[in-house]
Each structure stands twice: as C-alpha cells, then as structure tokens.
Amino acid sequence: MIGISKLYYGGDEANDDLRYHRHKSADGQRPVNPNPKPIVVWNCTQRCNLKCAHCYACSADVEYTGEMTDDQARTMIDDLAAFKAPVLLFSGGEPLMRPGVMDLAVYAKKAGLRTVFSTNGTLITGDVARQMAAAGVSYAGISLDGTQDVNDKFRGVAGAFEQALGGIRACLTEGVKVGLRLTMNARNVAEIGPVFDLIEREGIPRVCFYHLVSTGRGRGMGDDTLTHAQTRAAIDLITDRTADMLRRGKKVQVLTVDNHADGPYMYLRMKREGHPLTDQAYELLMQNGGNSTGSGIACVSWNGDVMPDQFWRQHVLGNVKTRKFSEIWAAGGHEFLTKLRDRRQYLHCRCQHCRWVDVCNGNFRARAEAHGDMWGEDPACYLTDEEIA
C-alpha cells in the first residue's frame, strides 16, 4: 500500500505501525523487516452474493464443499495468535455469507489478533454493524467500483451500490471504522472524481484505490487494463483530490494498492514541485519496502491451503488442516518462499537495473507471472526508462 495522504501531507495515520516499520540492512543497502510476521488474509468462504468481473476467487452464490470447519478455524486462530501475526483479515468470497463468522471474529479478537473485514458491504445492516462493533472489528473495507450504474454492472447485480452504501452508513452510525475500496480499470477510471465527491459527502474516512491484478476472473479483463498513461493520470487525479480535501480540513486517509510504482511516481512528482515533505516521503517509502508477498502478507484459503498472497492461488505452500501456519511460514520451510523473500537476485528485465527496486521490491510478481514470466517485469509498472535510470 502507498499512503498518498501520508506522503503528500504527513501526519500520523492508522496502521502506520504496519506500513512503516523497516530499517536498512547491515550494509545500508536494503530495507529489512525486523518482525516479518504477515498480515493473514483468510478467505473464510468462497461463496458470494455478487458476480464481480475481477474476482480473484471466481466466487459464486452456490454451496461449496471442503471449507474449513469452525474447529479448524479456531485452531488456526490460536496458532496465528501464538505466532504473533498482527492482523487477521476476513475475506472471501463474501465473508458475511459464512455462518457464524462473527463468532470467529470475537474468538480472534479475544486471542489478541487485530480483526479486519474485506466485504462487498451489501449484507451489512444496522444489526450486523452493531455485531461488528461488539466484536471489536478494527476496520471494514467495503468495495464500491464507482457510482450506481457503473458499480452495479461491474458487480453483476442490480442494487449492489445502494446496498453497499447502506453498509457504509451503518458502519459509520455504529462506530465501526470503515473505508471504500475501488479497483481501477478502464470501465471505472472516470469514476475517481465522483467517488471522491461521495466520500466527502458521506464522511467516509478512508479510501483505497486498487490496481487491477489479472488473476481469477480478472484474467478476462485484459482489454480493461489501464494504459500507463491512464494510470499516471489516475494517480495524479487521486493526489490532487487528496491534497484539496486535506487543505480544506477534511480528514481522509487515501491509499493506492497493488502497484508499488506509485511510490517512486509520487516521490518524483513531489521533487518536481519542490514539496517540503519530499525527503520524508523517500524515507517512508524505504521503510515500507515495497511488495511484501511471502513475507508481510499471506493467505489462507477456504479449504486451508496457504499461499504467498490471495492472488497467487496456484502456489500452495501447505495446508493448515494438517500443519500449523507458523510451521509452513517458517524461514527456509519452502523454496518458493525463500526466493520471494530474497527476490532481487532473480529479477531481470528492467527491474535488474532499476534504481527504485529497494522501494518497490520488484512490484507484483503474481501479475508478472500472469503475463508469462514470474521474475520478469510487472507490466503494470508505468515508470519510464528515464525515471528508473
């Protein structure tokens, strides 16, 4: 994640402790995470009531088999707590379609885990929001991919926009911290401005703009991938609207996700502008360390499979039904994980000579593999040859 509001305007923000905690290695050359315990995304069910065009899980509203039982989930939660994983993120499918999911959230919170929900928001009524508040849920990220017509077409179900907006309002009413999530693509890039209008009008305190990752059903969205020029224009607009809101005293946390080229791009823009926080922005980007697939992020699937992140479902490292997550994730426990954690020696193409590799860490390897070469260039990197030289 790249904190646009943090870099451009400074100040303390939620989850700074997770995002900026690295230091330089002994040789002073590379960022190192002193506490490499991952945020764990748990796809607690594959079932979902929507039909999103970009769904990495290819979810549908059907009864799936082989999902983890509640007992197996509690065993995993106990292990994650003992392992000191900082966050357990309930995802799906749609996590609220799993029966008893709030009981598991309560169990995780009591075990000492910070609990977060990634949800489409359509099932969050006032009662559900009150349950979230009572369970101590730290944050609910609710997906909206534009205003009503655009969102509903993208999500595949009429009325999804109004239901999700109702979920956001319910969270705000019940004191559950909530944010909006939008995956940028050619179908909705024109919605960035209206979405900023929406978050200001509704008083939504956080928004994350995701870059499209072509896995799952997202593979069928190749023609909707933003060009590099469109991506640069989108990041500029996000930055401009963020700065405008903050200058007017509107408190908002704005981030971009799944493309660490955004960090160098922001830094270079701030440097051209003579921005007073340019040097601080560079230090924060170095502390962030770029993509952390396989170290700072992990995924447990609905059937217990462990993967380096939620987009890389074909790379199964083990299964929590038969082996503890903490053992699967241990250093040296899996050759693929070892490579991911020291990926610089395997990167080639432009990454090999890029001056920003310590800032982005080679960007998104799942997206590179989806385009034919796991260790090649991430095709979403929009920095020019001059900018990386």
Side-chain angles (χ1 to χ4, degrees), residues 151-293:
N151 177 81
D152 288 1
K153 287 178 182 176
F154 192 74
R155 297 271 157 187
V157 174
F161 175 85
E162 287 298 334
Q163 292 171 348
L165 185 57
I168 290 172
R169 289 169 174 166
C171 287
L172 290 170
T173 298
E174 299 301 330
V176 177
K177 184 177 178 183
V178 67
L180 186 153
R181 306 162 75 244
L182 180 148
T183 298
M184 298 183 291
N185 59 88
R187 302 184 196 182
N188 68 1
V189 69
E191 296 287 287
I192 291 174
V195 163
F196 268 101
D197 295 338
L198 175 68
I199 65 173
E200 184 166 355
R201 185 168 63 248
E202 297 287 338
I204 301 169
R206 191 175 194 256
V207 57
C208 295
F209 293 94
Y210 284 71
H211 293 260
L212 180 66
V213 181
S214 24
T215 58
R217 281 204 292 267
R219 284 183 176 273
M221 293 190 63
D223 293 341
D224 294 308
T225 301
L226 296 182
T227 66
H228 289 179
Q230 287 174 317
T231 303
R232 296 168 78 95
I235 300 304
D236 281 337
L237 176 58
I238 290 167
T239 304
D240 291 342
R241 290 297 301 261
T242 301
D244 174 65
M245 286 186 69
L246 293 170
R247 276 195 296 265
R248 290 186 288 110
K250 305 290 184 179
K251 291 185 178 180
V252 62
Q253 186 178 5
V254 180
L255 305 102
T256 63
V257 189
D258 294 342
N259 191 341
H260 284 274
D262 293 345
Y265 185 74
M266 280 293 299
Y267 168 78
L268 291 170
R269 169 178 167 152
M270 293 172 70
K271 190 173 182 179
R272 286 195 305 272
E273 294 173 348
H275 196 292
L277 296 180
T278 302
D279 290 343
Q280 176 181 296
Y282 180 80
E283 288 302 317
L284 288 171
L285 290 169
M286 286 294 289
Q287 290 173 28
N288 178 269
N291 180 274
S292 62
T293 292

Side-chain angles (χ1 to χ4, degrees), residues 18 62 81 118 229 294 326 388:
L18 298 177
V62 298
S118 177
S326 56
I388 73 170

Side-chain angles (χ1 to χ4, degrees), residues 347-362:
L347 297 173
H348 55 86
C349 299
R350 294 203 313 160
C351 294
Q352 203 169 35
H353 308 291
C354 178
R355 64 168 164 151
W356 302 110
V357 70
D358 287 336
V359 168
C360 85
N361 199 27

Side-chain angles (χ1 to χ4, degrees), residues 124-143:
I124 301 180
T125 61
D127 183 56
V128 171
R130 284 188 287 276
Q131 291 178 47
M132 285 183 160
V137 172
S138 296
Y139 177 70
I142 295 181
S143 298

